[in-house]
Amino acid sequence: MIHFSLCFFFFVAFSCLAAEQTRLPLNDYFAETWNTRSGLPHNSINSVAQTNDGYVWIATWEGLARFNGREFKLFTRSEIPDLPDSGLRSLAPQADGSLYISGARGGVSHLKNRQWLVQNNASAMVNYVLKTRSGEMWLALEGDGIAYRDYDNGPEHTILVNLSAYRLVEDKRGVIWAATSDGLYKIENKIAQLVTPSSGLPHSSIYSALLTQQGQLIVAGEKGAWRLVGDMFESIHPKLDGESISSLLQDDHDDIWFGTINKGLFRLSEIGLEQLDADSGLPANRILSLMQDREKSIWVGTNGGVYRLREAPFSSWTKKRGLNGDYVRSVLSHSDGSMWVGSSLGLNRVNNDSVVAIPPAFEQGPLSILSLAEDNQGGVWVGTYTSGLMRVVDKKIYPVINRDNGLLSNEIRALLFDNEQRLWVGSAAGLTRIDPDGSVVQYTTEQGLPGDFIMALALDSRGNIWVGTGVGVAMFNGELEKFKGQAFPKQFNAEYAFGFYAQQNFMWMTTDRGLIRFNIITGEIAILGREQGLPVDKLFQLVVQDDSFWLSSNRGIIQVKQQQVNELLNDPSSIKGQKLQYQLYDEGDGMLSAQANGGSNPAATLHNDGSIWFATSQGASTVVPERIKQASQISLPTVIESLYVDGKNTPILYDEELVLPPSTARLSFHYAGLSFIMPQRLNFQTKLIGYNNEWVNRQRLTITEYTNLAPGKYTFMVRAGYPNGQWQDNYKTINFVIQSYFWQQTGFKLVMFFTLLLLAFGLYQYRLYHYKKIEKELIIRVEQQTRDLQQQTDAFAHQATHDQLTDLPNRRAFDSWLAENFSDFKQQALPLAIAIMDIDHFKRINDGWSHIIGDRVICVVAHLLSQCVKSDASEVARWGGEEFTLLFPNKTAQQAAELCDELRLEIANYDFSTIANGLSVTVSFGVADSLTVNDYDRLLAQADQALYKAKTIGRNRVEIIFSDTLSAEQPES
């Protein structure tokens, strides 16, 4: 939901309309008052002024106040030593935006560009300061005449003495007119001449002088007000003659406002002379100052506070303006251009801003009016609360019919003439139809009405009568002469139908759950309620004006675009994707009460002059939408009021760059939008260039803080806007730089960066060297461990294939070699000889000398065998125990036997006495070759047979097996 309730900011620009527009009566102005309870330092408002930046300044006897629309900021001498005095008499804003402030002791201060420039004191209280076009400063002094200075703080020259001067104005010719206690003085070329009664002015004090936008001089004093026509002064208005007038103002309509000493405020306009006094709402009747601001509001300084009048979208007709009563229930736009207003205390006719009461024809108490209707002859019919149906005849109200002579109830809430000029009367007990011939027909729930409490009647485009009750609606078909109930869908949860509005194909209904649209062609029904974006549930009356729907409610008047409403109702799913845009008008827009009345008709109506009237609990409220459309957008100044740096208020420099220390941690910007219509509802956006280049919505927040900003240059920007209006180019900026510590500067950062880069590179190189060293050590360690493992593996392999005692290949190695190579020798037809050797009588050695000696003998024999076979590529292995095997590649058995015999002799001749005394050792060989066998097992068997033969025959010998048969036996040696 987008709440447009304050978009009237664009609409209060009524005052921006051209001067030829119709004036609002003073009673139609919306008024507000501020006093000491609101924050002012004193209730006597000596002067009110507005400077170019938009601020409103107020001078009082207890100091100076600056108003931003939300709050007053007080300036005292303790805070501003250059203030002229605590008691301030006048304010003089200048075209350059500066402001002269004058005090009770003759002091003058010049506020320019936020700087207070003290001026030389005058000899007496300064009532007014005038800066002429030539740059001279003229002073109107209390009791000490008139003086001028050629420039600020220049030497003072006296023009008049021994009188009180109140006001000074300069005309286009450079002539200065002075309002004084002796009368009006004309000062030309520094020569003062009193204007005598022969010029039309009486001999009396003149308190104020005004030069109009057209160049005409108007003066006012203790005996009235006059204007200069030619060389003569003429009375402005006879009713002002003799009035003591203290101040003058010309507004943008060229109307003249007069502030008096004890009669309040007067305005002279095309309407005439109007008065506003304390009985009408002024804080006091003594007017001290007048000012119109840039939003065209009138500010009135009184001795009871400051009072502001502004033209609001809504104005109200109440008892103060002539109505019988304030509680209005029905308003009727008559075809003759008049408005009829029915209240709880009677009936009034409003025409051309004049109000006429329409009394009852017979003596009785005040009539409480509930409903009104006009017949085709222009006659006005009246429905009352307790007296039934009545009619206006010859400006009086006459009874027509009541409960005693035909009505169901005297409480008449709706009246309607149909196309046949039959009068339908809706009461609290049912519906009555009065035909032109006077016959009466009654309708209740028995005839098809959903309920008997009738609140609304309407005629659709097809001539059907629609009836709104407290429990739904019904439609009367004239052709069928019967009612058809139209129940609201259960999901609508609606019951009361307060009003109707008929369009070509639709009947619109205002209910207690929103606005319902019924298609009289298709029967489709849709609702626009709170769930769809409306701010309230209960709606009383719908008025259509151009492209807008105007809806009355207990919370004010709602304006919505007709097109958007239809779009939302045509496609309910689109409601989720868009927000209903509306404007809600209430007391802040000129209504005396936001409570509009309903349950009687018509409770709102469109008048033929384009205004819309609403019945409310505080009069009849009117609005002119066309005037709203024509209003131009008001320029909205934005100001930055203060800047706090780490909690300390810091002077703001708009045109220079503000330099902040490097220790700055928190910045707080305080700002305002200088609109005085309804400043509490302005929206703001901020941007901090250098930090975030996008506008940030601050809603209504008037403070923005930043913490821990990095050193650098920034631009703070803020702008104000009316709610849901277009943002104006009214932003205000402050440029500032946060200085950096030396370690935050770019040069230092670059040095540190490269230093860190070098350190990182050095660390990287060191780590790389360290890792390479570790890698090298690991490689060496792995290689060493690999070698150790290989050696261990080789040792294990060696142990597996070698004899532990002799370190000769063992039987496994011998068998493996024989098995791997035997087939190769057979395929190549090469001889392979094998010999098996056994130490003779080895058991005797072990038994006779010991096993240790036996092992030593084995080792010697193994050594001798190894030495003998090295030269001819033979292989030797320990077969087991005292047995050895020898391989002789490429040798036959005979050749191998010869070698074995040499080995036998060498062993037999070896001196074993070194091992044991008396020890001698001999060996026996059995030899065979591969020529006569086909596998190595057979070869081993033959060698073993040969050995057996050698041992059998006598040992210490070599035997050969040439075939499967044994060779001839040889004797044992």
Side-chain angles (χ1 to χ4, degrees):
M1 177 189 75
I2 298 180
H3 193 302
F4 272 5
S5 65
L6 297 179
C7 281
F8 77 92
F9 280 125
F10 299 108
F11 309 147
V12 295
F14 295 152
S15 50
C16 294
L17 302 178
E20 62 269 13
Q21 289 179 316
T22 303
R23 307 296 189 275
L24 284 179
L26 279 183
N27 289 323
D28 278 6
Y29 276 81
F30 186 72
E32 294 170 280
T33 301
W34 293 272
N35 50 36
T36 53
R37 291 190 298 273
S38 309
L40 284 172
H42 197 276
N43 283 332
S44 289
I45 312 301
N46 293 325
S47 183
V48 183
Q50 186 174 37
T51 48
N52 290 351
D53 55 12
Y55 280 116
V56 170
W57 298 81
I58 298 173
T60 75
W61 289 124
E62 288 297 333
L64 180 66
R66 187 185 71 188
F67 191 43
N68 65 6
R70 290 174 176 254
E71 60 185 359
F72 292 96
K73 177 176 175 56
L74 304 184
F75 295 88
T76 63
R77 286 185 55 78
S78 60
E79 180 183 359
I80 310 295
D82 291 332
L83 271 178
D85 193 8
S86 294
L88 301 181
R89 181 64 182 88
S90 68
L91 303 171
Q94 303 299 304
D96 62 0
S98 64
L99 179 69
Y100 284 93
I101 305 108
S102 57
R105 292 187 172 187
V108 178
S109 185
H110 188 198
L111 176 60
K112 185 174 184 179
N113 297 328
R114 294 178 173 261
Q115 300 296 317
W116 299 83
L117 308 175
V118 65
Q119 310 294 304
N120 292 333
N121 274 21
S123 57
M125 180 172 70
V126 180
N127 287 323
Y128 193 74
V129 175
L130 170 68
K131 286 288 288 188
T132 65
R133 287 188 293 272
S134 62
E136 295 174 340
M137 175 186 286
W138 286 70
L139 305 175
L141 304 176
E142 180 70 30
D144 219 4
I146 299 173
Y148 76 92
R149 301 171 183 174
D150 293 323
Y151 52 88
D152 288 9
N153 280 332
E156 196 166 293
H157 308 282
T158 301
I159 298 296
L160 292 172
V161 294
N162 299 325
L163 57 81
S164 292
Y166 306 112
R167 188 79 174 188
L168 302 168
V169 295
E170 180 186 22
D171 65 18
K172 295 179 180 179
R173 298 177 299 147
V175 175
I176 294 176
W177 299 86
T180 76
S181 57
D182 286 354
L184 180 67
Y185 277 90
K186 179 180 180 182
I187 304 174
E188 192 170 8
N189 297 324
K190 307 296 191 301
I191 299 174
Q193 181 181 0
L194 180 65
V195 178
T196 63
S198 62
S199 299
L201 285 180
H203 183 70
S204 63
S205 296
I206 301 296
Y207 298 133
S208 186
L210 169 70
L211 199 65
T212 69
Q213 298 173 9
Q214 294 76 26
Q216 186 178 50
L217 178 66
I218 298 177
V219 297
E222 63 181 353
K223 293 185 179 181
W226 302 266
R227 57 188 167 198
L228 180 60
V229 180
D231 294 330
M232 296 295 295
F233 284 90
E234 299 177 354
S235 173
I236 287 183
H237 197 280
K239 290 185 178 181
L240 293 176
D241 292 345
E243 295 292 346
S244 185
I245 299 173
S246 57
S247 52
L248 295 169
L249 172 70
Q250 181 188 30
D251 66 19
D252 69 314
H253 292 306
D254 293 336
D255 300 340
I256 305 300
W257 298 71
F258 306 89
T260 69
I261 298 296
N262 54 20
K263 293 291 185 68
L265 184 67
F266 288 88
R267 182 184 71 172
L268 182 61
S269 68
E270 62 182 19
I271 296 176
L273 185 68
E274 302 167 278
Q275 183 182 7
L276 192 67
D277 55 19
D279 294 334
S280 304
L282 271 176
N285 280 330
R286 182 175 180 81
I287 309 301
L288 304 176
S289 54
L290 293 171
M291 188 268 290
Q292 184 178 38
D293 67 16
R294 45 177 293 279
E295 293 173 317
K296 314 308 177 185
S297 296
I298 304 297
W299 297 73
V300 183
T302 76
N303 62 353
V306 64
Y307 184 76
R308 183 181 67 172
L309 294 168
R310 64 178 175 88
E311 295 180 355
F314 282 76
S315 59
S316 297
W317 290 84
T318 61
K319 290 181 67 174
K320 289 183 178 181
R321 297 184 66 177
L323 294 185
N324 290 333
D326 287 337
Y327 198 84
V328 176
R329 300 301 300 265
S330 185
V331 287
L332 173 69
S333 177
H334 199 277
S335 58
D336 65 2
S338 64
M339 280 295 305
W340 293 72
V341 180
S343 71
S344 59
L345 296 177
L347 181 64
N348 294 96
R349 180 176 183 266
V350 181
N351 190 33
N352 295 326
D353 290 329
S354 64
V355 181
V356 176
I358 309 298
F362 305 105
E363 290 293 334
Q364 63 182 82
L367 290 174
S368 180
I369 310 300
L370 291 180
S371 55
L372 297 168
E374 181 186 4
D375 60 27
N376 61 354
Q377 302 297 317
V380 176
W381 296 72
V382 182
T384 68
Y385 190 71
T386 58
S387 301
L389 178 65
M390 309 186 82
R391 185 181 181 185
V392 177
V393 179
D394 294 331
K395 300 181 181 180
K396 291 186 178 181
I397 305 175
Y398 288 88
V400 176
I401 187 173
N402 56 35
R403 187 172 53 201
D404 296 334
N405 52 16
L407 282 183
L408 296 172
S409 169
N410 284 336
E411 185 178 333
I412 310 302
R413 291 183 173 271
L415 297 172
L416 174 69
F417 284 94
D418 64 15
N419 292 335
E420 300 176 20
Q421 284 301 297
R422 297 179 295 184
L423 177 60
W424 297 76
V425 182
S427 73
L431 182 64
T432 300
R433 190 187 75 194
I434 304 175
D435 293 342
D437 61 3
S439 59
V440 176
V441 181
Q442 308 285 7
Y443 299 95
T444 64
T445 53
E446 296 181 358
Q447 284 75 39
L449 286 176
D452 290 333
F453 193 86
I454 311 301
M455 292 182 293
L457 295 168
L459 192 68
D460 68 18
S461 60
R462 296 188 170 189
N464 301 314
I465 307 297
W466 287 76
V467 183
T469 76
V471 290
V473 300
M475 183 187 73
F476 181 79
N477 190 308
E479 297 179 357
L480 300 178
E481 287 289 321
K482 63 184 339 182
F483 283 98
K484 177 183 178 182
Q486 178 60 56
F488 297 133
K490 290 184 178 180
Q491 63 269 25
F492 288 6
N493 196 27
E495 294 182 356
Y496 287 82
F498 294 105
F500 296 102
Y501 181 80
Q503 288 183 329
Q504 183 62 33
N505 296 327
F506 297 120
M507 178 60 75
W508 296 86
M509 309 170 215
T510 48
T511 74
D512 57 345
R513 286 298 182 269
L515 180 64
I516 292 177
R517 186 187 70 180
F518 182 82
N519 191 316
I520 61 178
I521 306 298
T522 65
E524 294 179 356
I525 190 168
I527 188 169
L528 182 76
R530 187 184 289 271
E531 293 182 358
Q532 291 75 33
L534 282 177
V536 296
D537 285 322
K538 187 183 295 183
L539 303 175
F540 294 136
Q541 196 83 47
L542 168 64
V543 176
V544 179
Q545 201 269 352
D546 293 337
D547 60 346
S548 292
F549 281 168
W550 295 79
L551 300 160
S552 62
S553 75
N554 276 326
R555 294 250 318 266
I557 307 302
I558 304 166
Q559 181 189 8
V560 293
K561 293 296 183 182
Q562 190 174 171
Q563 179 180 350
Q564 189 188 22
V565 171
N566 280 305
E567 288 174 352
L568 293 175
L569 297 183
N570 290 339
D571 184 10
S573 62
S574 67
I575 295 177
K576 298 179 180 179
Q578 60 175 302
K579 295 181 180 179
L580 180 67
Q581 298 180 350
Y582 64 85
Q583 301 161 7
L584 178 62
Y585 300 93
D586 52 22
E587 289 90 345
D589 304 294
M591 298 181 67
L592 297 180
S593 172
Q595 178 187 330
N597 287 326
S600 54
N601 276 271
T605 187
L606 176 65
H607 196 32
N608 53 21
D609 64 357
S611 62
I612 302 175
W613 291 62
F614 297 93
T616 78
S617 61
Q618 288 293 318
S621 289
T622 67
V623 62
V624 182
E626 188 61 30
R627 184 182 293 175
I628 293 175
K629 289 183 179 180
Q630 294 175 355
S632 59
Q633 182 173 341
I634 301 173
S635 176
L636 176 60
T638 306
V639 293
I640 301 174
E641 295 193 319
S642 58
L643 167 63
Y644 287 85
V645 179
D646 293 330
K648 182 179 179 181
N649 195 354
T650 303
I652 296 176
L653 303 176
Y654 286 119
D655 300 326
E656 301 178 19
E657 187 175 73
L658 183 63
V659 180
L660 302 178
S663 59
T664 300
R666 188 181 73 217
L667 298 176
S668 179
F669 295 89
H670 297 244
Y671 42 81
L674 296 183
S675 172
F676 301 94
I677 303 301
M678 194 64 68
Q680 301 291 342
R681 302 175 185 176
L682 291 179
N683 291 328
F684 296 91
Q685 285 186 332
T686 63
K687 180 194 298 187
L688 184 61
I689 298 176
Y691 174 75
N692 182 3
N693 293 335
E694 299 295 329
W695 286 106
V696 178
N697 289 321
R698 302 295 182 180
Q699 304 303 328
R700 299 175 186 175
L701 189 66
T702 58
I703 301 174
T704 295
E705 288 193 350
Y706 299 94
T707 58
N708 299 319
L709 290 174
K713 292 185 177 182
Y714 298 93
T715 298
F716 175 77
M717 306 174 69
V718 59
R719 62 184 180 183
Y722 299 111
N724 302 295
Q726 295 294 325
W727 291 99
Q728 304 178 22
D729 291 331
N730 59 357
Y731 55 83
K732 206 71 174 178
T733 63
I734 292 180
N735 297 308
F736 64 95
V737 58
I738 299 178
Q739 294 179 314
S740 59
Y741 292 106
F742 73 89
W743 61 80
Q744 295 175 314
Q745 296 175 2
T746 303
F748 181 81
K749 290 181 179 180
L750 287 175
V751 171
M752 291 302 298
F753 172 75
F754 286 113
T755 301
L756 290 175
L757 196 62
L758 289 174
L759 287 174
F761 179 75
L763 180 61
Y764 169 75
Q765 291 295 326
Y766 170 75
R767 297 291 291 178
L768 183 62
Y769 166 77
H770 181 66
Y771 286 138
K772 286 184 176 181
K773 182 179 178 181
I774 293 175
E775 180 183 13
K776 186 177 181 180
E777 291 176 354
L778 288 174
I779 291 173
I780 294 173
R781 186 179 300 176
V782 169
E783 290 177 349
Q784 182 62 41
Q785 290 178 349
T786 302
R787 286 194 297 269
D788 292 344
L789 289 173
Q790 186 61 47
Q791 289 176 359
Q792 188 175 11
T793 301
D794 293 344
F796 288 152
H798 186 78
Q799 290 177 4
T801 58
H802 286 72
D803 177 59
Q804 187 176 3
L805 181 61
T806 63
D807 201 32
L808 289 177
N810 59 16
R811 184 172 182 172
R812 177 184 296 174
F814 180 83
D815 288 345
S816 177
W817 189 97
L818 183 60
E820 291 175 358
N821 295 279
F822 180 82
S823 59
D824 291 340
F825 281 89
K826 290 297 290 182
Q827 290 176 3
Q828 297 176 22
L830 296 175
L832 175 62
I834 183 174
I836 299 176
M837 185 210 79
D838 182 70
I839 300 175
D840 296 335
H841 304 294
F842 185 73
K843 185 175 183 305
R844 295 176 184 176
I845 297 172
N846 284 335
D847 293 343
W849 280 277
S850 75
H851 285 281
I852 295 176
I853 297 300
D855 289 342
R856 294 181 66 183
V857 169
I858 290 173
C859 290
V860 171
V861 171
H863 176 72
L864 294 174
L865 292 175
S866 297
Q867 292 298 319
C868 291
V869 300
K870 282 183 179 179
S871 59
D872 57 4
S874 299
E875 296 288 339
V876 61
R878 186 181 178 189
W879 186 255
E882 68 275 18
E883 290 184 332
F884 293 88
T885 56
L886 294 92
L887 283 172
F888 301 98
N890 300 317
K891 288 182 173 55
T892 63
Q894 188 62 45
Q895 293 171 333
E898 294 176 357
L899 293 174
C900 288
D901 195 55
E902 293 178 1
L903 289 170
R904 180 186 63 77
L905 292 174
E906 186 175 353
I907 293 171
N909 294 327
Y910 186 82
D911 184 9
F912 286 93
S913 60
T914 58
I915 298 174
N917 291 329
L919 178 61
S920 62
V921 177
T922 61
V923 295
S924 300
F925 290 91
V927 181
D929 62 24
S930 61
L931 296 178
T932 59
V933 296
N934 292 322
D935 58 66
Y936 64 89
D937 287 338
R938 196 65 194 156
L939 178 61
L940 283 173
Q942 285 186 358
D944 188 58
Q945 288 177 6
L947 175 62
Y948 179 78
K949 181 180 177 181
K951 294 175 68 175
T952 301
I953 294 175
R955 294 184 173 84
N956 192 21
R957 59 187 299 123
V958 177
E959 289 296 333
I960 301 174
I961 293 296
F962 293 102
S963 63
D964 290 337
T965 61
L966 295 173
S967 61
E969 298 248 355
Q970 295 184 10
E972 181 182 354
S973 55

